[in-house]
Structures are given as structure tokens and as C-alpha cells.
Amino acid sequence: MWAAAAGVAAVGSGVVLGEAAAGLLSPSISPVTAVGGAVIDVVPPGVKDWAISLFGTADKVALLGGMALAIATLAALSGVLELRRRFAGVAVIAVFGAVGVVAVLGRADVTANAIPVPLLAAAVGIGLMRWLVRRLGEWQAEAGLVAGPAVEGRTPDAPTQSRTPEAATTSRTPGSPAQSPTPYSPARRRFLQALGGTAAVAALGGVLAATLRGAAAAVSELRSKLVLPSPASPAPPIPAGAELGLDGIGPLVTPNKDFYRIDTALRVPVVDPGQWTLKVTGLVERDIELDFAALLAKPLIERHVTIACVSNEVGGDLIGNARWLGWPVRELLALAGPKPGADMVLSRSTDGWTAGTPLEVLMDSRDALLAVGMNGEPLPLEHGFPARLIVPGLYGYVSATKWVTELKVTRFADDVAYWTPRGWSERGPVKISSRIDVPRGGRSVAAGTVAFGGVAWAQHTGIGKVELRVNRGDWQQAELAPGISKDTWYQWKLALPLTPGQYEVQVRATDFNGVPQVEDRAPVAPSGSTGFHTVTVDVKS
């Protein structure tokens, strides 16, 4: 038990001090985030889908918790192994360090400063563990459990007794001479002091790491002081009646703090806007390089656009609507001049993540934006500051690159993006869908007139009508609020007279072109879920 505690304290100190060092040397990448990112990259798509469906936007917290548990388990094992055989535990921690180095080298945003950090963390863990195990060995020797004065003094294969140090005093026959000092012997005290000191180092290292990460996110301070230019083309006013005001329906425009976040970045990339550049390369007549000041000087436009994650289940909440400020991507690409034969733009994030977007979608009349603002303020760090892509009508995995640094004009036949080789479809158009927000499924309501309401979307096409049916009966058309634009979701509501009983209620949407929502159920992979959102309502008298 004490050897395991020594391993956990030592490795924990190494990990948090490594994170603190990363805060100074490589703010965008650390051993923990590098290993976590590698895990995200290699796990099968089905596991990712399961994690998102189970944990939602807390999937990264769950991953970090799982990593912490795995590290603690292996750290405890290293302490026990080191007590039993010299350098056996050291080997385990050395593997920790090697894995960290390999993971760091595999990240797209790796820097020379990031490479030695996992080795430093491993060295700290090894040094502290050797010191703690030596103190534990002294206690064992004093208690008469090993032949020598300390673990260092015995041969590597010398056996130890199975009793703990406390057992040396508690297991003797009553009245017989003590085989060892009391439980409060000097050696025991020295070990416990060393263990407590190491745990304190781990705690202080955690505080230091958090402080340094906060200092690294001085970028957040830069963001807070940034004043965005007024748009050359402001967002059209929201139509009267677009928000129905029915309790339970989500807001027409999603606040930044409530906007969903799904990406592969375990730690939000820290990008200094003063150092940020965007390159347009590949099959173009001329390469373009744009810095942040030049981007802000462009004629920016402001538009409401709803975006959705392909992992959004039927009736799910991985979707949101915001007012985005940015420069039309078609104008940027026009400056570069795509060459004949190009049909895809491979956008790349600062952390190496990529998305493949059809070139024609970025060049047509839709408001595809290189966005710098969200709901009247600079992009939040977690939503892509300083710049990201927003493309109406496509799921985020093929369009919504955050912290974007490169647009490579290429061909689908020549390049693949992050998710395509992992089993997802190539182009990812958003599917017509609708959701019942109120009343929630499984809720009880009073008999009489029951108000149903929710949202429906068919980005870049627009919603023509929304209908409900009860217990698979006839469809009844709901009141459809005017949408902000065809690139946003629409609110709807319908009051139904219901007597006591249990009811199954379904919703379906039809777009402006008369195309109805698909009824057949399909999972999110490989191209987005389909099916009617269905809730069960218990009506009480």
C-alpha cells in the first residue's frame, strides 16, 4: 500500500510539473494533451460515437478522467515493482516518458520546446519515486522486514516478507519482545514526511500549472481587448415573430456560453492573433498569405447561420444558431484563383485537424465565412479564436474548422481529411431534421390543451412546413415562425387537446422545395442521423 502511494505521489508530481513546464515552454501542447490527442486519433469511430452519445460535450472531461485513472493505476504499480525489484518501477516511468515523447512528436503543432517536457516529467517522477522507496526501505529495515538497512542495500532478488511495516508490531504475540520500533519510529516518520512532501509538491505543481496555463492564455486578455470592425454588410434584422416565446424552446440565437463544442482538441489551442496567419496553397494561380490585421481590414459581413455536428442524434442538441462576422471565403479563394480540376479545399487547424469541403460550396452564393466574430464579440477561444470557417449547409466535420491556418485547394481524389479515412462520408450535407423541445419526453402534463414546440432546420434550403402526429395518426400542421434566413433553424408550435392517457408524438419537417424529412431511422455514422423525433407524453387528469 505504501509503495503504491509512493508511486502515485511521485508520478503525479512528475505529471503536474511537466504540465507546468509546458505552460512555459509550449503553451499549445503538453504531454497530457499530446497523449490524449493521440488516443482520440486512434480509437475507432464507433468508440467516439459512443463517447459523444454518452458524455456529450463533456467527452473530453471523461477522457481526462479516464487518463488520470490509468496513470494513477500504472503509477501505483511502478511503486510496488520498484520496492520488490530495483529499477523495475523506474522502467515503467521511463515508458511513460517515451510514450509522451512519441505523442508530442506526432502532433501537428509540435515545437522543439515541447519535446523535452515529457522527459523532464519522467525524470522528476523517477527521482521522487527512488527517494520515496528508499525511505520506505529504511522503514522496513528498521521494522525488521528486510535484511539490510534499506532497499538500496539488499540484492535485487532478495525476498521481502508479506507483512506491512505496521504488521511488524501488531502481529507479534502479546507480551513478547517487540520485533521492531513502534509504529511511530523515526524511519516511519521520515517516510511519511517524504510522502506528504511529495504530495504537496504535486498539489503546488497543479496550482503552478494552472497559473502558467492562465498566463499562456494571456491570449484571452488580448481577445477581451480586441475591438471588431463594423461589418460592411450587417446581419439582416430578425423578422418579427421569429421567436415564438414558448417556454421550453431554446433561444432563436444560441448564447456563446451555451453553444455546443465538439472537436478533437483536448486542450483549447492558444493562438496569438498577432502571430496568426492563414495560407491559401495548392492548385491555385497564386499563393495567398493573410495575417489577422489584414483580415480585419477586409469588407466583413455579418450573418446568422445554424451549424450542426454530424454526431447529433435525432432530437439532439449538438446544433446551434449564432450571428457570425467574417470575410466571404469565395472572395479569398477568388484572389488565389483555383485551377481547373480542383474540387476540394482541405482546411487545416493549428493543431493539425483537417476538413475537406467541396470547392463549389465555398465559391457559390452562400455565406461561407472566414469568421472572426460570434454574436457581437470576438470568437471565444474554444470556438476557434482568432479565426474559423463557417459554411451553411454542411456538417462541421467537413466545414467548420476552428483555429484555421491553411486552405489547400486540391482534389478529393488526391487528399483526405481527418474523418474520411475513419469511415465518415466525404461531403456531409446537413439533413432535414426537426426536434420537439416542449414538452420533454417522459414528462407529465395536465389534460386539456397541451402546447408543443421546437425547432426545425434544412440549412441553405429553408423549412417549408412542420407537422405533428399523435399515436401514428394523421399529420397536423404546426404554426411555423418566420426564419431569420434559409441558413438558420426555424421555431414552430402547435397546441393539441389531449385527454388523460399516454401519447406518442412525432414531428417531421419539409423543406422549401417540398422534400420531407426521412422517416427511416439511421445512426449518425457515416453521414448523419435520420428519423422522426419521437416523445412520449403522460397526460394526467
Side-chain angles (χ1 to χ4, degrees):
M1 180 186 69
W2 290 115
V8 171
V11 172
S13 296
V15 168
V16 297
L17 291 177
E19 292 297 293
L24 285 172
L25 301 174
S26 59
S28 64
I29 188 172
S30 74
V32 170
T33 60
V35 172
V39 171
I40 291 172
D41 289 347
V42 301
V43 298
V47 176
K48 291 188 179 75
D49 298 340
W50 170 82
I52 291 174
S53 65
L54 183 62
F55 300 108
T57 55
D59 56 339
K60 294 173 183 62
V61 175
L63 174 59
L64 287 171
M67 288 177 61
L69 181 60
I71 290 171
T73 300
L74 292 173
L77 177 63
S78 71
V80 173
L81 291 176
E82 187 66 21
L83 181 66
R84 294 180 175 177
R85 182 180 292 272
R86 189 177 179 184
F87 297 127
V90 169
V92 174
I93 300 180
V95 171
F96 266 100
V99 169
V101 171
V102 171
V104 166
L105 289 172
R107 307 317 294 169
D109 50 348
V110 62
T111 63
N113 288 343
I115 297 172
V117 175
L119 300 177
L120 172 64
V124 169
I126 288 172
L128 288 173
M129 188 184 67
R130 295 286 297 143
W131 177 57
L132 288 173
V133 170
R134 187 161 53 246
R135 288 285 179 266
L136 180 57
E138 291 170 357
W139 177 13
Q140 284 192 322
E142 189 177 73
L145 297 181
V146 295
V151 169
E152 296 284 359
R154 61 181 173 87
T155 60
D157 295 323
T160 62
Q161 298 182 34
S162 61
R163 292 178 295 163
T164 63
E166 286 89 342
T169 59
T170 60
S171 63
R172 61 187 174 86
T173 304
S176 62
Q179 293 177 287
S180 63
T182 67
Y184 299 99
S185 66
R188 180 183 190 274
R189 185 168 57 251
R190 285 194 298 271
F191 168 73
L192 293 179
Q193 287 173 344
L195 183 64
T198 304
V201 167
L204 291 174
V207 173
L208 178 62
T211 301
L212 291 175
R213 286 293 172 189
V219 169
S220 181
E221 181 70 15
L222 292 175
R223 174 192 172 274
S224 68
K225 294 179 179 179
L226 177 65
V227 178
L228 294 174
S230 298
S233 174
I238 296 176
E243 191 148 24
L244 294 173
L246 181 62
D247 287 344
I249 299 182
L252 186 64
V253 178
T254 311
N256 291 356
K257 64 181 179 62
D258 297 329
F259 210 93
Y260 80 93
R261 179 198 165 197
I262 296 292
D263 52 55
T264 62
L266 197 57
R267 174 175 287 131
V268 174
V270 178
V271 183
D272 185 339
Q275 303 298 318
W276 175 87
T277 59
L278 175 71
K279 296 179 180 180
V280 183
T281 62
L283 298 177
V284 293
E285 297 296 338
R286 63 199 67 83
D287 288 352
I288 301 289
E289 184 166 332
L290 186 73
D291 63 24
F292 195 61
L295 175 56
L296 294 184
K298 297 295 183 182
L300 306 182
I301 70 172
E302 194 176 46
R303 296 292 185 267
H304 287 92
V305 178
T306 296
I307 62 172
C309 179
V310 71
S311 295
N312 197 35
E313 299 279 0
V314 172
D317 59 1
L318 299 182
I319 182 170
N321 183 50
R323 177 165 50 93
W324 307 95
L325 174 69
W327 188 33
V329 179
R330 61 177 174 272
E331 295 184 18
L332 173 60
L333 293 176
L335 290 178
K339 292 182 177 180
D343 63 1
M344 188 253 271
V345 173
L346 187 74
S347 54
R348 186 177 301 274
S349 169
T350 187
D351 64 353
W353 187 86
T354 55
T357 310
L359 176 62
E360 69 270 16
V361 169
L362 296 176
M363 296 290 289
D364 67 16
S365 61
R366 77 187 70 199
D367 294 317
L369 301 178
L370 178 59
V372 296
M374 181 179 183
N375 289 331
E377 62 181 64
L379 291 171
L381 268 61
E382 64 272 20
H383 290 295
F385 182 80
R388 67 170 295 168
L389 290 180
I390 292 294
V391 183
L394 297 182
Y395 287 119
Y397 82 102
V398 296
S399 67
T401 305
K402 303 174 187 176
W403 316 288
V404 63
T405 58
E406 182 184 6
L407 301 180
K408 179 184 177 183
V409 180
T410 181
R411 301 182 182 93
F412 279 105
D414 297 335
D415 280 297
V416 293
Y418 182 90
W419 285 111
T420 306
R422 291 169 170 81
W424 294 82
S425 63
E426 200 171 58
R427 297 174 183 256
V430 175
K431 296 179 177 178
I432 305 166
S433 195
S434 53
R435 189 179 75 196
I436 299 172
D437 287 347
V438 58
R440 298 288 184 184
R443 297 288 177 86
S444 296
V445 297
T449 300
V450 179
F452 289 80
V455 289
W457 57 92
Q459 284 103 318
H460 202 57
T461 303
I463 293 294
K465 65 179 179 180
V466 174
E467 300 166 290
L468 263 67
R469 68 179 179 186
V470 179
N471 294 338
R472 308 294 174 111
D474 294 334
W475 289 104
Q476 302 178 59
Q477 190 162 334
E479 176 188 344
L480 183 64
I484 300 175
S485 77
K486 64 182 181 180
D487 290 330
T488 67
W489 58 14
Y490 295 61
Q491 292 189 353
W492 61 265
K493 68 178 180 179
L494 179 63
L496 296 174
L498 298 177
T499 57
Q502 193 171 73
Y503 298 88
E504 177 196 79
V505 182
Q506 294 179 302
V507 62
R508 75 173 179 186
T510 302
D511 72 10
F512 269 139
N513 297 328
V515 178
Q517 182 178 341
V518 175
E519 180 176 5
D520 294 339
R521 280 274 178 174
V524 296
S527 59
S529 63
T530 61
F532 296 157
H533 187 209
T534 304
V535 299
T536 300
V537 179
D538 192 15
V539 179
K540 301 290 188 181
S541 58

